[in-house]
Amino acid sequence: MKIISTPLEMQHAALAMKRGGRRIGFVPTMGFLHEGHLSLVKIARHHADVVVLSLFVNPTQFGPGEDLGRYPRDFERDRKLSEAAGVDVLFAPETAAMYAKDASVAVVEENLSRGLCGASRPTHFRGVVTVVSKLFNLCLPDVAVFGEKDAQQIRVIRRLVRDLNFPVEIISGPTIREPDGLAMSSRNVNLSPAERKQALCLRRALDRAEVLQRSGERDAARIRASMVEAVAMEPLATIDYIEIVDDETLEPVARTDRPTLVALAVKFSKTRLIDNAVLKPGT
Ligand code: AMP
């Protein structure tokens, strides 16, 4: 596995691979890898000749007072896991090399990124969309793989690719969970043992939504109320949002007759966890 730490070297390597006729699969991450990330590597492997995984805790997608400083990092651990997963190129740039001090260009998605996470993190998607654009320009992927765990993010990235004509295919991978149902996240290590237990309320809330949907309930307010109740049972949990939105437009819906995204964000002190499920009318 090749380790690359400068943007220019990454771009040269990607150009060389492309000239050699190799299909590049790309998995962007913020590191502290877990099975969720590694499942995306597997998918990338399946669709490409070489897999590039980036490790970059992108400061511009964190707002003031968020957990940038507490975001877990362990390069050596990530290196070993990447190598074992069959990553061909590990791209781990320094922040200073990624952003000029006087950087003045950003990429902004102006519709899908407004609600859900964008409402409580108003600069988040500007940071994500900009860094993903930069990473696409550096890694030149034919295919890039993102997790459904970040449901809004993947929809925003698909819009980015469509609207700016990036020559890359976006593929999604399902959310990988701990045996008890908690969605894997690098942030889970920041939970205290009590918070870790109570964090199951995210999955429980989604289970409630799915059970109600299966039983024929289509009233979004009633489904939402049941989810709120599941989270409110846990004293350490603070609801950031629980929303029921159209799966395509991400606009709030009153009824779940069409494919609907049920998404929630819950805070445990400074640690903010997200999870989601898609309700299909036939389920
Ligand atoms: P992150 O390092 O958290 O920014 O995530 C990097 C990529 O991994 C994103 O595309 C995420 O959606 C994806 N991802 C994070 N957690 C999971 C998970 N539990 N299952 C599948 N994909 C995930």
mmCIF file of all heavy atoms in Angstrom, residues 218-255:
data_model
loop_
_atom_site.group_PDB
_atom_site.id
_atom_site.type_symbol
_atom_site.label_atom_id
_atom_site.label_comp_id
_atom_site.label_asym_id
_atom_site.label_seq_id
_atom_site.Cartn_x
_atom_site.Cartn_y
_atom_site.Cartn_z
ATOM 1 N N ARG A 218 -49.436 5.896 8.341
ATOM 2 C CA ARG A 218 -48.814 6.744 7.313
ATOM 3 C C ARG A 218 -48.752 8.201 7.760
ATOM 4 O O ARG A 218 -48.330 9.057 6.990
ATOM 5 C CB ARG A 218 -49.613 6.660 5.989
ATOM 6 C CG ARG A 218 -49.571 5.279 5.325
ATOM 7 C CD ARG A 218 -48.179 4.947 4.778
ATOM 8 N NE ARG A 218 -48.148 3.655 4.105
ATOM 9 C CZ ARG A 218 -47.840 2.507 4.704
ATOM 10 N NH1 ARG A 218 -47.554 2.469 6.005
ATOM 11 N NH2 ARG A 218 -47.810 1.380 4.001
ATOM 12 N N ASP A 219 -49.179 8.467 8.996
ATOM 13 C CA ASP A 219 -49.196 9.842 9.485
ATOM 14 C C ASP A 219 -47.819 10.183 10.067
ATOM 15 O O ASP A 219 -47.404 9.619 11.082
ATOM 16 C CB ASP A 219 -50.289 9.976 10.559
ATOM 17 C CG ASP A 219 -50.432 11.399 11.020
ATOM 18 O OD1 ASP A 219 -49.595 11.848 11.839
ATOM 19 O OD2 ASP A 219 -51.344 12.087 10.543
ATOM 20 N N ALA A 220 -47.119 11.100 9.397
ATOM 21 C CA ALA A 220 -45.738 11.386 9.786
ATOM 22 C C ALA A 220 -45.656 11.936 11.211
ATOM 23 O O ALA A 220 -44.732 11.596 11.956
ATOM 24 C CB ALA A 220 -45.120 12.371 8.793
ATOM 25 N N ALA A 221 -46.625 12.752 11.592
ATOM 26 C CA ALA A 221 -46.583 13.350 12.937
ATOM 27 C C ALA A 221 -46.690 12.266 14.013
ATOM 28 O O ALA A 221 -46.007 12.327 15.047
ATOM 29 C CB ALA A 221 -47.697 14.377 13.089
ATOM 30 N N ARG A 222 -47.552 11.269 13.754
ATOM 31 C CA ARG A 222 -47.694 10.193 14.749
ATOM 32 C C ARG A 222 -46.421 9.345 14.814
ATOM 33 O O ARG A 222 -45.985 8.940 15.892
ATOM 34 C CB ARG A 222 -48.916 9.332 14.426
ATOM 35 C CG ARG A 222 -50.220 9.959 14.951
ATOM 36 C CD ARG A 222 -51.282 8.901 15.204
ATOM 37 N NE ARG A 222 -51.839 8.402 13.959
ATOM 38 C CZ ARG A 222 -52.906 8.938 13.348
ATOM 39 N NH1 ARG A 222 -53.539 9.953 13.886
ATOM 40 N NH2 ARG A 222 -53.349 8.444 12.214
ATOM 41 N N ILE A 223 -45.837 9.082 13.654
ATOM 42 C CA ILE A 223 -44.589 8.295 13.637
ATOM 43 C C ILE A 223 -43.499 9.077 14.378
ATOM 44 O O ILE A 223 -42.776 8.543 15.218
ATOM 45 C CB ILE A 223 -44.160 7.983 12.180
ATOM 46 C CG1 ILE A 223 -45.188 7.070 11.512
ATOM 47 C CG2 ILE A 223 -42.765 7.350 12.151
ATOM 48 C CD1 ILE A 223 -44.941 6.796 10.035
ATOM 49 N N ARG A 224 -43.422 10.355 14.085
ATOM 50 C CA ARG A 224 -42.403 11.196 14.708
ATOM 51 C C ARG A 224 -42.572 11.232 16.239
ATOM 52 O O ARG A 224 -41.601 11.125 16.990
ATOM 53 C CB ARG A 224 -42.461 12.604 14.127
ATOM 54 C CG ARG A 224 -41.356 13.474 14.632
ATOM 55 C CD ARG A 224 -41.326 14.853 14.008
ATOM 56 N NE ARG A 224 -40.228 15.599 14.590
ATOM 57 C CZ ARG A 224 -40.271 16.162 15.780
ATOM 58 N NH1 ARG A 224 -41.367 16.089 16.525
ATOM 59 N NH2 ARG A 224 -39.204 16.787 16.254
ATOM 60 N N ALA A 225 -43.827 11.360 16.668
ATOM 61 C CA ALA A 225 -44.096 11.448 18.109
ATOM 62 C C ALA A 225 -43.607 10.187 18.822
ATOM 63 O O ALA A 225 -43.023 10.256 19.919
ATOM 64 C CB ALA A 225 -45.584 11.659 18.353
ATOM 65 N N SER A 226 -43.801 9.052 18.176
ATOM 66 C CA SER A 226 -43.362 7.804 18.793
ATOM 67 C C SER A 226 -41.832 7.744 18.865
ATOM 68 O O SER A 226 -41.250 7.244 19.843
ATOM 69 C CB SER A 226 -43.915 6.634 17.972
ATOM 70 O OG SER A 226 -43.379 5.434 18.434
ATOM 71 N N MET A 227 -41.194 8.299 17.853
ATOM 72 C CA MET A 227 -39.717 8.328 17.855
ATOM 73 C C MET A 227 -39.202 9.267 18.942
ATOM 74 O O MET A 227 -38.241 8.947 19.658
ATOM 75 C CB MET A 227 -39.199 8.788 16.491
ATOM 76 C CG MET A 227 -39.530 7.832 15.357
ATOM 77 S SD MET A 227 -38.986 8.475 13.774
ATOM 78 C CE MET A 227 -37.194 8.323 13.935
ATOM 79 N N VAL A 228 -39.838 10.416 19.057
ATOM 80 C CA VAL A 228 -39.429 11.387 20.081
ATOM 81 C C VAL A 228 -39.514 10.734 21.453
ATOM 82 O O VAL A 228 -38.604 10.856 22.280
ATOM 83 C CB VAL A 228 -40.318 12.659 20.015
ATOM 84 C CG1 VAL A 228 -40.108 13.541 21.247
ATOM 85 C CG2 VAL A 228 -40.054 13.436 18.738
ATOM 86 N N GLU A 229 -40.602 9.994 21.662
ATOM 87 C CA GLU A 229 -40.806 9.329 22.948
ATOM 88 C C GLU A 229 -39.657 8.352 23.235
ATOM 89 O O GLU A 229 -39.140 8.297 24.352
ATOM 90 C CB GLU A 229 -42.142 8.594 22.892
ATOM 91 C CG GLU A 229 -42.648 8.077 24.199
ATOM 92 C CD GLU A 229 -43.915 7.254 23.957
ATOM 93 O OE1 GLU A 229 -43.813 6.149 23.376
ATOM 94 O OE2 GLU A 229 -44.998 7.735 24.331
ATOM 95 N N ALA A 230 -39.236 7.595 22.212
ATOM 96 C CA ALA A 230 -38.165 6.596 22.408
ATOM 97 C C ALA A 230 -36.861 7.266 22.816
ATOM 98 O O ALA A 230 -36.120 6.755 23.660
ATOM 99 C CB ALA A 230 -37.962 5.787 21.126
ATOM 100 N N VAL A 231 -36.573 8.424 22.239
ATOM 101 C CA VAL A 231 -35.317 9.108 22.567
ATOM 102 C C VAL A 231 -35.433 9.817 23.921
ATOM 103 O O VAL A 231 -34.500 9.799 24.734
ATOM 104 C CB VAL A 231 -34.925 10.116 21.454
ATOM 105 C CG1 VAL A 231 -33.652 10.873 21.841
ATOM 106 C CG2 VAL A 231 -34.728 9.383 20.130
ATOM 107 N N ALA A 232 -36.613 10.392 24.166
ATOM 108 C CA ALA A 232 -36.802 11.165 25.408
ATOM 109 C C ALA A 232 -36.718 10.286 26.658
ATOM 110 O O ALA A 232 -36.484 10.789 27.763
ATOM 111 C CB ALA A 232 -38.143 11.890 25.348
ATOM 112 N N MET A 233 -36.875 8.979 26.485
ATOM 113 C CA MET A 233 -36.747 8.060 27.626
ATOM 114 C C MET A 233 -35.347 8.058 28.212
ATOM 115 O O MET A 233 -35.139 7.633 29.343
ATOM 116 C CB MET A 233 -37.025 6.628 27.149
ATOM 117 C CG MET A 233 -38.450 6.213 27.203
ATOM 118 S SD MET A 233 -38.536 4.558 26.462
ATOM 119 C CE MET A 233 -40.244 4.559 26.001
ATOM 120 N N GLU A 234 -34.375 8.448 27.401
ATOM 121 C CA GLU A 234 -32.976 8.359 27.847
ATOM 122 C C GLU A 234 -32.518 9.715 28.393
ATOM 123 O O GLU A 234 -32.434 10.690 27.649
ATOM 124 C CB GLU A 234 -32.078 7.923 26.684
ATOM 125 C CG GLU A 234 -32.467 6.593 26.065
ATOM 126 C CD GLU A 234 -32.393 5.424 27.042
ATOM 127 O OE1 GLU A 234 -31.892 5.620 28.183
ATOM 128 O OE2 GLU A 234 -32.834 4.325 26.686
ATOM 129 N N PRO A 235 -32.180 9.757 29.676
ATOM 130 C CA PRO A 235 -31.892 11.056 30.307
ATOM 131 C C PRO A 235 -30.658 11.774 29.751
ATOM 132 O O PRO A 235 -30.579 12.999 29.817
ATOM 133 C CB PRO A 235 -31.694 10.705 31.785
ATOM 134 C CG PRO A 235 -31.513 9.219 31.836
ATOM 135 C CD PRO A 235 -32.193 8.650 30.642
ATOM 136 N N LEU A 236 -29.697 11.036 29.188
ATOM 137 C CA LEU A 236 -28.479 11.699 28.699
ATOM 138 C C LEU A 236 -28.606 12.149 27.246
ATOM 139 O O LEU A 236 -27.710 12.779 26.695
ATOM 140 C CB LEU A 236 -27.277 10.753 28.841
ATOM 141 C CG LEU A 236 -26.963 10.288 30.266
ATOM 142 C CD1 LEU A 236 -25.839 9.256 30.266
ATOM 143 C CD2 LEU A 236 -26.595 11.475 31.144
ATOM 144 N N ALA A 237 -29.742 11.818 26.623
ATOM 145 C CA ALA A 237 -29.917 12.126 25.198
ATOM 146 C C ALA A 237 -30.631 13.460 25.004
ATOM 147 O O ALA A 237 -31.631 13.738 25.662
ATOM 148 C CB ALA A 237 -30.729 11.010 24.538
ATOM 149 N N THR A 238 -30.101 14.289 24.118
ATOM 150 C CA THR A 238 -30.785 15.537 23.735
ATOM 151 C C THR A 238 -31.061 15.468 22.239
ATOM 152 O O THR A 238 -30.132 15.271 21.442
ATOM 153 C CB THR A 238 -29.876 16.759 24.000
ATOM 154 O OG1 THR A 238 -29.425 16.679 25.346
ATOM 155 C CG2 THR A 238 -30.626 18.062 23.784
ATOM 156 N N ILE A 239 -32.326 15.642 21.887
ATOM 157 C CA ILE A 239 -32.686 15.569 20.466
ATOM 158 C C ILE A 239 -32.202 16.817 19.747
ATOM 159 O O ILE A 239 -32.493 17.937 20.172
ATOM 160 C CB ILE A 239 -34.218 15.434 20.301
ATOM 161 C CG1 ILE A 239 -34.687 14.109 20.892
ATOM 162 C CG2 ILE A 239 -34.609 15.535 18.815
ATOM 163 C CD1 ILE A 239 -36.195 13.952 20.956
ATOM 164 N N ASP A 240 -31.416 16.618 18.683
ATOM 165 C CA ASP A 240 -31.062 17.741 17.812
ATOM 166 C C ASP A 240 -32.199 17.886 16.788
ATOM 167 O O ASP A 240 -32.814 18.930 16.674
ATOM 168 C CB ASP A 240 -29.706 17.459 17.161
ATOM 169 C CG ASP A 240 -29.258 18.575 16.243
ATOM 170 O OD1 ASP A 240 -30.031 19.530 16.049
ATOM 171 O OD2 ASP A 240 -28.157 18.495 15.681
ATOM 172 N N TYR A 241 -32.496 16.794 16.078
ATOM 173 C CA TYR A 241 -33.704 16.786 15.257
ATOM 174 C C TYR A 241 -34.163 15.353 15.045
ATOM 175 O O TYR A 241 -33.367 14.407 15.125
ATOM 176 C CB TYR A 241 -33.480 17.475 13.895
ATOM 177 C CG TYR A 241 -32.542 16.737 12.954
ATOM 178 C CD1 TYR A 241 -32.970 15.626 12.220
ATOM 179 C CD2 TYR A 241 -31.225 17.151 12.789
ATOM 180 C CE1 TYR A 241 -32.111 14.952 11.364
ATOM 181 C CE2 TYR A 241 -30.363 16.491 11.930
ATOM 182 C CZ TYR A 241 -30.814 15.384 11.223
ATOM 183 O OH TYR A 241 -29.959 14.722 10.385
ATOM 184 N N ILE A 242 -35.458 15.218 14.823
ATOM 185 C CA ILE A 242 -36.033 13.966 14.338
ATOM 186 C C ILE A 242 -36.949 14.402 13.208
ATOM 187 O O ILE A 242 -37.882 15.165 13.437
ATOM 188 C CB ILE A 242 -36.842 13.234 15.429
ATOM 189 C CG1 ILE A 242 -35.909 12.798 16.572
ATOM 190 C CG2 ILE A 242 -37.592 12.031 14.839
ATOM 191 C CD1 ILE A 242 -36.582 12.004 17.682
ATOM 192 N N GLU A 243 -36.654 13.970 11.998
ATOM 193 C CA GLU A 243 -37.429 14.484 10.875
ATOM 194 C C GLU A 243 -37.860 13.383 9.923
ATOM 195 O O GLU A 243 -37.162 12.375 9.752
ATOM 196 C CB GLU A 243 -36.619 15.533 10.118
ATOM 197 C CG GLU A 243 -36.429 16.785 10.946
ATOM 198 C CD GLU A 243 -36.463 18.044 10.098
ATOM 199 O OE1 GLU A 243 -37.251 18.096 9.124
ATOM 200 O OE2 GLU A 243 -35.694 18.951 10.428
ATOM 201 N N ILE A 244 -39.003 13.632 9.321
ATOM 202 C CA ILE A 244 -39.559 12.693 8.345
ATOM 203 C C ILE A 244 -39.720 13.490 7.064
ATOM 204 O O ILE A 244 -40.511 14.428 7.000
ATOM 205 C CB ILE A 244 -40.882 12.116 8.867
ATOM 206 C CG1 ILE A 244 -40.604 11.441 10.228
ATOM 207 C CG2 ILE A 244 -41.485 11.150 7.860
ATOM 208 C CD1 ILE A 244 -41.733 10.655 10.802
ATOM 209 N N VAL A 245 -38.905 13.144 6.061
ATOM 210 C CA VAL A 245 -38.830 13.979 4.854
ATOM 211 C C VAL A 245 -38.942 13.109 3.604
ATOM 212 O O VAL A 245 -38.702 11.893 3.653
ATOM 213 C CB VAL A 245 -37.493 14.775 4.809
ATOM 214 C CG1 VAL A 245 -37.375 15.716 6.002
ATOM 215 C CG2 VAL A 245 -36.287 13.852 4.733
ATOM 216 N N ASP A 246 -39.278 13.751 2.505
ATOM 217 C CA ASP A 246 -39.323 13.047 1.226
ATOM 218 C C ASP A 246 -37.906 12.554 0.895
ATOM 219 O O ASP A 246 -36.930 13.306 1.026
ATOM 220 C CB ASP A 246 -39.823 14.000 0.135
ATOM 221 C CG ASP A 246 -39.950 13.283 -1.194
ATOM 222 O OD1 ASP A 246 -38.950 13.256 -1.945
ATOM 223 O OD2 ASP A 246 -41.027 12.750 -1.464
ATOM 224 N N ASP A 247 -37.809 11.303 0.464
ATOM 225 C CA ASP A 247 -36.487 10.706 0.255
ATOM 226 C C ASP A 247 -35.710 11.422 -0.851
ATOM 227 O O ASP A 247 -34.480 11.385 -0.859
ATOM 228 C CB ASP A 247 -36.656 9.221 -0.094
ATOM 229 C CG ASP A 247 -35.318 8.506 -0.121
ATOM 230 O OD1 ASP A 247 -34.453 8.846 0.705
ATOM 231 O OD2 ASP A 247 -35.132 7.626 -0.974
ATOM 232 N N GLU A 248 -36.406 12.064 -1.771
ATOM 233 C CA GLU A 248 -35.710 12.721 -2.882
ATOM 234 C C GLU A 248 -35.447 14.198 -2.625
ATOM 235 O O GLU A 248 -34.337 14.677 -2.793
ATOM 236 C CB GLU A 248 -36.577 12.580 -4.130
ATOM 237 C CG GLU A 248 -35.889 11.838 -5.253
ATOM 238 C CD GLU A 248 -36.834 11.690 -6.416
ATOM 239 O OE1 GLU A 248 -37.161 12.704 -7.042
ATOM 240 O OE2 GLU A 248 -37.253 10.537 -6.666
ATOM 241 N N THR A 249 -36.502 14.896 -2.200
ATOM 242 C CA THR A 249 -36.370 16.359 -2.053
ATOM 243 C C THR A 249 -35.874 16.762 -0.672
ATOM 244 O O THR A 249 -35.467 17.898 -0.464
ATOM 245 C CB THR A 249 -37.731 17.043 -2.273
ATOM 246 O OG1 THR A 249 -38.612 16.616 -1.204
ATOM 247 C CG2 THR A 249 -38.338 16.666 -3.612
ATOM 248 N N LEU A 250 -35.966 15.871 0.290
ATOM 249 C CA LEU A 250 -35.646 16.132 1.688
ATOM 250 C C LEU A 250 -36.550 17.204 2.315
ATOM 251 O O LEU A 250 -36.212 17.787 3.336
ATOM 252 C CB LEU A 250 -34.156 16.488 1.881
ATOM 253 C CG LEU A 250 -33.132 15.453 1.378
ATOM 254 C CD1 LEU A 250 -31.722 15.836 1.788
ATOM 255 C CD2 LEU A 250 -33.445 14.054 1.901
ATOM 256 N N GLU A 251 -37.721 17.423 1.683
ATOM 257 C CA GLU A 251 -38.716 18.338 2.259
ATOM 258 C C GLU A 251 -39.577 17.554 3.249
ATOM 259 O O GLU A 251 -39.934 16.392 2.975
ATOM 260 C CB GLU A 251 -39.646 18.880 1.157
ATOM 261 C CG GLU A 251 -38.982 19.798 0.146
ATOM 262 C CD GLU A 251 -38.559 21.126 0.760
ATOM 263 O OE1 GLU A 251 -39.173 21.534 1.773
ATOM 264 O OE2 GLU A 251 -37.618 21.734 0.233
ATOM 265 N N PRO A 252 -39.963 18.174 4.374
ATOM 266 C CA PRO A 252 -40.829 17.479 5.336
ATOM 267 C C PRO A 252 -42.129 17.008 4.689
ATOM 268 O O PRO A 252 -42.660 17.684 3.803
ATOM 269 C CB PRO A 252 -41.129 18.567 6.381
ATOM 270 C CG PRO A 252 -40.015 19.542 6.250
ATOM 271 C CD PRO A 252 -39.583 19.521 4.818
ATOM 272 N N VAL A 253 -42.595 15.839 5.114
ATOM 273 C CA VAL A 253 -43.853 15.310 4.568
ATOM 274 C C VAL A 253 -44.861 15.113 5.703
ATOM 275 O O VAL A 253 -44.474 14.919 6.858
ATOM 276 C CB VAL A 253 -43.653 13.951 3.844
ATOM 277 C CG1 VAL A 253 -42.800 14.105 2.602
ATOM 278 C CG2 VAL A 253 -43.043 12.902 4.784
ATOM 279 N N ALA A 254 -46.132 15.150 5.337
ATOM 280 C CA ALA A 254 -47.183 14.903 6.331
ATOM 281 C C ALA A 254 -47.538 13.427 6.364
ATOM 282 O O ALA A 254 -47.985 12.908 7.379
ATOM 283 C CB ALA A 254 -48.417 15.730 5.985
ATOM 284 N N ARG A 255 -47.335 12.755 5.211
ATOM 285 C CA ARG A 255 -47.672 11.336 5.129
ATOM 286 C C ARG A 255 -46.508 10.552 4.522
ATOM 287 O O ARG A 255 -45.709 11.097 3.762
ATOM 288 C CB ARG A 255 -48.943 11.134 4.305
ATOM 289 C CG ARG A 255 -50.176 11.737 4.981
ATOM 290 C CD ARG A 255 -51.443 11.375 4.244
ATOM 291 N NE ARG A 255 -51.630 9.924 4.054
ATOM 292 C CZ ARG A 255 -52.063 9.091 4.992
ATOM 293 N NH1 ARG A 255 -52.355 9.535 6.199
ATOM 294 N NH2 ARG A 255 -52.208 7.811 4.723
#
